[in-house]
Amino acid sequence: MFSILFTIWLLYAAILLSPGANTILITQLAASEHDRSARVAALGVAVGSTMWCICAVFGIHVIFVIFPAMRMTLQVAGGIYLLYLASRLWRTSSGTDSAKALRASKSSLAAFRMGLLTNMTNPKAALFFGSVFAASFPASPGKALQAAVIVMVMLTSAGYHLLLAYVFSRHSVRAGYARSRGAFNRVAAVGVSSLGLGLLVATFKEAKRQLLVSST
């Protein structure tokens, strides 16, 4: 059991360390002097990771294989949400939406919802938990292993993302962010929008291939 847990933890740690939409969201909030929002968003991301893990433990990858349209619908929703998030980052960088962004950042519920939705619509999370993560399980995992994996993912995700929020809220990091706030937000917006567009294009190509196969 412990060897399986350690293997799954290594795989999950590797995916956490690769920057994505979750990382961009939390670091941007923390560096822009919204400490509490960054921490709450980190907890939202952790809850999203836990939900993905529960789905994987109970066989969501099988559902995705049987109903590929469900997976593609999730991917489209994820792409659209990432584009929406990118637009908010861009508007904040240009100053046209700074007041609105500041009000939103003061709401714990809004920050939690943003973290949760960013993770739940994250294509990287869907791909990892629906394939690599699920494939790491034995054919018939015991209840103790299932519970241990869920707790491990929850604690690891919360710990890592709260650490990100702490590091990027330090004075030295904030000082650097303040000097290049607009450029930082624009780079973040471009990164998030490229993830969203890439996901939508990949989904469109996959749907086109499936239509061609079904018509032959």
Side-chain angles (χ1 to χ4, degrees):
M1 173 176 167
F2 291 105
S3 62
I4 296 174
L5 265 180
F6 184 66
T7 299
I8 294 174
W9 181 82
L10 284 178
L11 291 170
Y12 185 54
I15 201 71
L16 281 179
L17 292 174
S18 60
N22 298 331
T23 301
I24 293 173
L25 172 68
I26 293 170
T27 56
Q28 196 273 341
L29 282 173
S32 58
E33 302 187 9
H34 302 314
D35 301 35
R36 185 185 66 179
S37 294
R39 292 192 296 269
V40 174
L43 294 177
V45 169
V47 170
S49 298
T50 306
M51 293 172 67
W52 273 119
C53 181
I54 292 172
C55 290
V57 165
F58 292 102
I60 192 173
H61 64 290
V62 177
I63 297 175
F64 282 167
V65 170
I66 298 174
F67 303 106
M70 182 182 296
R71 175 175 53 80
M72 286 191 286
T73 300
L74 177 64
Q75 290 177 179
V76 170
I80 292 172
Y81 181 74
L82 289 175
L83 291 177
Y84 162 74
L85 183 60
S87 71
R88 289 196 61 181
L89 286 169
W90 188 273
R91 290 198 303 272
T92 303
S93 70
S94 63
T96 58
D97 199 32
S98 56
K100 181 179 177 181
L102 182 60
R103 288 194 299 271
S105 69
K106 291 182 178 179
S107 168
S108 295
L109 179 60
F112 181 86
R113 184 173 61 245
M114 188 178 294
L116 177 63
L117 288 176
T118 299
N119 198 4
M120 291 305 295
T121 59
N122 190 343
K124 186 174 73 171
L127 182 61
F128 173 73
F129 283 105
S131 57
V132 178
F133 185 92
S136 304
F137 269 78
S140 301
K143 293 186 182 301
L145 176 60
Q146 291 176 325
V149 166
I150 292 170
V151 172
M152 180 268 292
V153 165
M154 178 179 64
L155 294 179
T156 302
S157 180
Y160 175 73
H161 291 104
L162 285 171
L163 178 63
L164 275 182
Y166 172 79
V167 169
F168 280 82
S169 65
R170 296 305 86 200
H171 177 72
S172 58
V173 177
R174 282 180 171 174
Y177 175 81
R179 289 193 296 269
S180 55
R181 185 190 196 98
F184 183 90
N185 284 2
R186 288 188 180 93
V187 169
V190 170
V192 173
S193 63
S194 64
L195 290 173
L197 286 173
L199 181 61
L200 291 175
V201 170
T203 305
F204 174 76
K205 289 181 178 178
E206 182 181 354
K208 187 176 179 180
R209 283 196 301 270
Q210 290 191 5
L211 285 174
L212 289 173
V213 171
S214 62
S215 63
T216 56

